[in-house]
Amino acid sequence: MAAAAHAPTASEYIVHHLTHLNSSGGAQKNIIDFAIVNWDTVFYSVLTAVLSGWLMYRAARLITAGVPNRFVGAIESVVEFVHEQARAIVKGDLSYVAPLALVSFVWIFLMNAIDLIPVDLFPRIAELFGIHYLRAVPTADLNGTLSLAMVVLGSSIYYGIKTKGAGGFTHELFTAPFGSHFLLWPINLLMQIIEYLAKTVSLGMRLFGNMYAGELVFMLIALLGATVTWWGAGLHFLTGLAWAIFHILIITLQAFIFMMLALVYVGQAFEHH
């Protein structure tokens, strides 16, 4: 935190912790601005992506090395579970869809799990290197979650064209859901555009909203630790422990929901109307 003559107030503490390390010098909070890059979101997204890839690679190497251990068994269980969900939802080629779902679940889970690390730890470490603003949870940044949702949107459009052909995909844009009469073409196209936009925005906003709220709760709990009393320290520990345990369910559930919705949206690309 930037040097100050007095300890920050509760509002100053929260505002500071909600400010990204970005190309604007930390002036922006949590908005969408294509001229600004949130470097902390990019860094932790890439870091967890590399960790996700390493976990999958490590599990694959251990399978060929001999008798599987608990780590391999856990990874295999996740892979089999995701593949079963993909096969049940998507009536088409799973060679890309199933890996997309697996990556979505593992990567988002790891990004969400950063929220379980003490909220002041990474910012304090960053201060040692002269970095005064840092947010460590990429999924608590709307820019990050909408980027993930746009990948799902692109995959949906790609498979729609691949399955039905460019002509069939375009024909469906103008003839579904109300019919093929030429007077209905503008309405059908508008409805299709709204549907694609609604899916993308809701997919990104749902993940962002839950993780942003969870991050705020951890900040409020951290403020209890600033109360130099035995009851303040006790509440800080007990509430922090309780919320962290409950938050394990939230971060897992949010990764699962995003994965399932991604499967549903991409799976719809294989359906003919």
Side-chain angles (χ1 to χ4, degrees), residues 13-165:
Y13 173 85
I14 292 178
V15 168
H16 178 274
H17 277 64
L18 290 179
T19 304
H20 287 281
L21 169 65
N22 53 44
S23 54
S24 71
Q28 303 294 327
K29 303 300 186 294
N30 208 322
I31 65 172
I32 297 178
D33 190 333
F34 295 107
I36 296 175
V37 178
N38 290 338
W39 296 115
D40 43 14
T41 297
V42 173
F43 174 78
Y44 285 105
S45 296
V46 173
L47 179 64
T48 50
V50 172
L51 179 58
S52 301
W54 179 83
L55 289 174
M56 298 297 107
Y57 173 79
R58 181 62 177 168
R61 290 294 300 271
L62 288 176
I63 290 176
T64 59
V67 180
N69 54 28
R70 293 181 179 178
F71 168 71
V72 173
I75 297 297
E76 283 184 334
S77 298
V78 172
V79 172
E80 291 176 2
F81 170 75
V82 172
H83 189 270
E84 286 299 318
Q85 299 302 316
R87 186 169 60 181
I89 295 174
V90 180
K91 308 304 179 184
D93 182 19
L94 297 180
S95 60
Y96 171 80
V97 179
L100 173 67
L102 178 63
V103 169
S104 298
F105 180 77
V106 176
W107 188 20
I108 291 175
F109 174 81
L110 291 178
M111 288 192 288
N112 292 349
I114 296 177
D115 214 7
L116 298 176
I117 298 173
V119 69
D120 285 310
L121 179 59
F122 286 155
R124 291 294 184 186
I125 295 175
E127 286 181 12
L128 300 178
F129 298 92
I131 299 173
H132 301 301
Y133 298 101
L134 184 71
R135 292 186 66 185
V137 185
T139 47
D141 179 10
L142 186 57
N143 298 275
T145 58
L146 284 181
S147 298
L148 294 171
M150 290 176 67
V151 173
V152 177
L153 171 65
S155 301
S156 179
I157 295 174
Y158 167 77
Y159 267 97
I161 297 174
K162 182 179 179 180
T163 303
K164 304 160 190 173

Side-chain angles (χ1 to χ4, degrees), residues 159-169 172 268-273:
Y159 267 97
I161 297 174
K162 182 179 179 180
T163 303
K164 304 160 190 173
F169 180 77
E172 189 173 280
Q268 289 175 344
F270 292 91
E271 301 174 358
H272 293 269
H273 300 280

